[in-house]
Amino acid sequence: MPKIMNRLLVLLLPIFIVGCEIENDNRIGLGMKVDFLVTSECMKSTIEHTQNLITNGSSFSFELDEYEVNLTMYEQTDIKTSFEIDIDGQHLDEDIGVFYRKTDALAKAFKNSIIKHCSNKNGI
């Protein structure tokens, strides 16, 4: 009898898991780093073209492609800058797969923009 119960549980478990699935809220936080110093001024100049820019020291809030973005710079040295970027798309009615693809592309483009504008190789 225990074997039958175990098999029954194995078959029913996926049904219970799917029935109790937590809905994703289209929000993601990503940690990033670049191997050079990024000053707050350079970070600000990189994101000045965005809408609704709010700065508070080393924290920035802005809109990027209809997403609400919060960026916080954590470590700044001559050889490394690390920051966290939180992208919120809860107000948009997007499929979670679409959201992740778009935000992944946005995060990569944002990091490339920082590299292009703030890298020591560019004389900044």
Side-chain angles (χ1 to χ4, degrees):
M1 189 69 160
K3 283 186 176 182
I4 293 173
M5 290 300 282
N6 287 342
R7 289 181 183 167
L8 184 61
L9 284 175
V10 168
L11 292 174
L12 292 177
L13 187 61
I15 293 170
F16 291 130
I17 291 173
V18 171
C20 298
E21 185 177 321
I22 297 172
E23 189 174 320
N24 197 307
D25 62 351
N26 285 0
R27 189 172 190 168
I28 189 168
L30 303 167
M32 298 182 161
K33 78 171 187 149
V34 290
D35 294 329
F36 52 86
L37 173 67
V38 178
T39 63
S40 293
E41 294 80 24
C42 191
M43 184 68 77
K44 183 177 177 182
S45 71
T46 303
I47 58 179
E48 275 185 339
H49 66 281
T50 61
Q51 297 178 352
N52 301 326
L53 175 63
I54 300 170
T55 62
N56 184 11
S58 61
S59 296
F60 305 88
S61 297
F62 53 96
E63 288 181 21
L64 184 62
D65 290 348
E66 297 183 355
Y67 295 106
E68 296 171 7
V69 179
N70 291 311
L71 183 137
T72 305
M73 297 174 65
Y74 286 109
E75 184 178 354
Q76 294 172 278
T77 67
D78 290 341
I79 58 171
K80 177 172 76 169
T81 301
S82 57
F83 54 95
E84 183 175 307
I85 185 167
D86 294 314
I87 303 173
D88 185 350
Q90 294 180 41
H91 61 284
L92 301 173
D93 188 25
E94 287 182 323
D95 178 75
I96 191 67
V98 171
F99 172 76
Y100 281 132
R101 282 191 299 279
K102 284 183 176 180
T103 55
D104 184 54
L106 279 176
K108 287 177 183 175
F110 184 79
K111 184 176 179 178
N112 288 336
S113 180
I114 291 171
I115 291 169
K116 180 180 176 184
H117 291 101
C118 300
S119 171
N120 295 336
K121 297 174 185 173
N122 293 326
I124 296 177

